[in-house]
Amino acid sequence: MRRWFQQLPNYVQAAIFSTIAAVMAAGFSVTVRLATEDMPPLEVVFFRNLFGFLLILPVSLRAGFSSLHTTRWRTFFLRAILSMGAMTFWFSSLAYLPLAEATTLNFTVPLFGTVLAVVILKEQIRHHRLLALIAGFAGVAIIIRPGSDTMQLASILPIAAALCMASAGMVIKSLARTDSSPNIVLYTMLLMTPMTLIPALFVWQTPSWNTILILLVGTFMANITQLCNTSAFRLYDYSFVIGFNYLRLPFVVIIALVMFGEIPEIWLLPGAGLIIGSAIYIARREAVLAREAKRFDREHSSPATDLDPPPRQRPAADTRPAAASALQDDDQNTRK
């Protein structure tokens, strides 16, 4: 079976891995919904990090204690804060919103990633991706319909989670230059476990063994999702693989309908179409720009870069925003 799978074309293997990841991600969302029926979302966040830390620790220790060394604790702490916000907002949205709506609004992560690249890294975008951004956020407006009687304040939760996820993604790219993937996950959860315990204690409800089992299954699904996505990205182009991420939505719709009787609103269809379409376009546009950048023998340094020639000289004064400056200074300290 393994030999047969390895003989398949790379794009087929990547598609299979990506589809499994989408199924696991949908299943993880369901486990969070079930767990929040028995305990507050803040407590679920704590147990997710605790179990995640215990599962990733043996993987990191296999390479020996010397591999655990890092000098970038400030950056890890920043990543932990952003990930804590993302997880808190995301789990809360799964508890208070229909699963399909929460999932769709969370697909705005690539849109916020592009916006942050412009605001923090001072990168330029041109009209193609600008129109995609406008279309994507128009899809958000269609789903939440601000000003209408049906608008829920809880609809802000998955959008806030997407903003935190996009911000954490920028920090992860910086950490990936010096630290391994298992160590990035390990240290993030090592910091997040005590950080998330503090707010959880204020709303603590002793969980049942059934809920503990559900959280363990959810943590396993989340780890499988990460492994499958990593394998898919290693096998084939990012712009091809990322499209399969949105298969999570139909899986979530089916599961939510069967298990919770949730029927998506009619507005979800056009809104999801705009959000997913714009996100896929941005991903494909970035892939084209990356190839063009290599052709011009220039580094592609971000999730959103247009083909402007690099400056010949650095500016005399450091005009970078504080967040971007801190990440680059941390990188320089590591290399010394």
Side-chain angles (χ1 to χ4, degrees):
M1 183 69 179
R2 182 176 181 181
R3 181 179 299 178
W4 170 81
F5 181 79
Q6 292 176 340
Q7 291 175 348
L8 295 173
N10 283 356
Y11 71 90
V12 176
Q13 294 183 44
I16 293 173
F17 277 124
S18 301
T19 303
I20 295 173
V23 174
M24 292 293 104
F28 173 69
S29 298
V30 173
T31 62
V32 172
R33 163 65 70 82
L34 293 173
T36 54
E37 292 178 352
D38 187 48
M39 65 174 70
L42 289 174
E43 193 175 347
V44 176
V45 171
F46 163 70
F47 278 106
R48 165 65 181 93
N49 285 288
L50 175 63
F51 294 154
F53 172 72
L54 295 176
L55 288 177
I56 196 64
L57 183 60
V59 177
S60 297
L61 290 178
R62 279 193 307 179
F65 286 97
S66 59
S67 65
L68 300 179
H69 176 72
T70 185
T71 59
R72 308 194 60 191
W73 288 108
R74 288 190 306 169
T75 311
F76 273 112
F77 187 72
L78 175 61
R79 196 251 161 134
I81 292 175
L82 292 171
S83 297
M84 178 180 172
M87 201 172 290
T88 301
F89 288 130
W90 176 232
F91 285 13
S92 299
S93 69
L94 293 175
Y96 301 127
L97 283 175
L99 289 179
E101 180 178 341
T103 301
T104 303
L105 292 175
N106 191 245
F107 285 153
T108 54
V109 173
L111 308 184
F112 283 114
T114 302
V115 172
L116 290 173
V118 175
V119 174
I120 296 179
L121 302 180
K122 299 301 182 183
E123 293 176 354
Q124 296 181 356
I125 61 171
R126 295 178 179 170
H127 61 279
H128 291 94
R129 275 178 294 153
L130 181 60
L131 290 175
L133 283 175
I134 294 173
F137 287 117
V140 173
I142 289 174
I143 294 175
I144 65 177
R145 300 190 298 286
S148 67
D149 295 335
T150 58
M151 178 183 175
Q152 303 181 61
L153 290 177
S155 298
I156 301 174
L157 293 172
I159 299 174
L163 178 57
C164 290
M165 290 175 183
S167 302
M170 299 183 70
V171 179
I172 292 171
K173 288 196 172 188
S174 174
L175 287 170
R177 301 188 192 114
T178 56
D179 292 79
S180 66
S181 297
N183 282 2
I184 292 175
V185 177
L186 174 70
Y187 285 128
T188 301
M189 292 190 173
L190 175 64
L191 292 171
M192 287 180 64
T193 299
M195 289 169 58
T196 55
L197 174 61
I198 297 173
L201 289 175
F202 288 95
V203 294
W204 189 269
Q205 296 180 18
T206 302
S208 64
W209 286 109
N210 184 53
T211 303
I212 293 294
L213 178 60
I214 289 173
L215 288 171
L216 283 171
V217 171
T219 301
F220 176 77
M221 286 182 169
N223 288 351
I224 293 297
T225 300
Q226 292 179 350
L227 290 173
C228 288
N229 277 330
T230 301
S231 299
F233 289 134
R234 188 182 296 115
L235 285 165
Y236 214 68
D237 291 342
Y238 174 85
S239 59
F240 171 81
V241 173
I242 198 64
F244 287 87
N245 178 56
Y246 302 104
L247 286 176
R248 180 161 44 117
L249 181 59
F251 290 134
V252 164
V253 169
I254 294 172
I255 295 173
L257 178 62
V258 173
M259 294 187 63
F260 307 108
E262 294 180 358
I263 301 176
E265 293 187 357
I266 189 64
W267 294 102
L268 185 71
L269 183 61
L274 286 172
I275 293 173
I276 294 174
S278 61
I280 291 177
Y281 178 83
I282 288 173
R284 293 189 176 277
R285 180 66 176 166
E286 288 163 7
V288 172
L289 294 174
R291 289 193 293 268
E292 291 295 327
K294 289 180 181 178
R295 185 185 307 172
F296 283 100
D297 199 23
R298 191 190 72 171
E299 181 183 3
H300 182 65
S301 60
S302 77
T305 306
D306 279 312
L307 294 177
D308 298 322
R312 297 188 178 184
Q313 295 181 347
R314 292 182 179 272
D318 188 353
T319 58
R320 296 169 297 166
S325 177
L327 291 179
Q328 186 166 335
D329 290 342
D330 205 353
D331 283 341
Q332 291 174 350
N333 292 334
T334 302
R335 287 192 286 266
K336 288 182 179 180

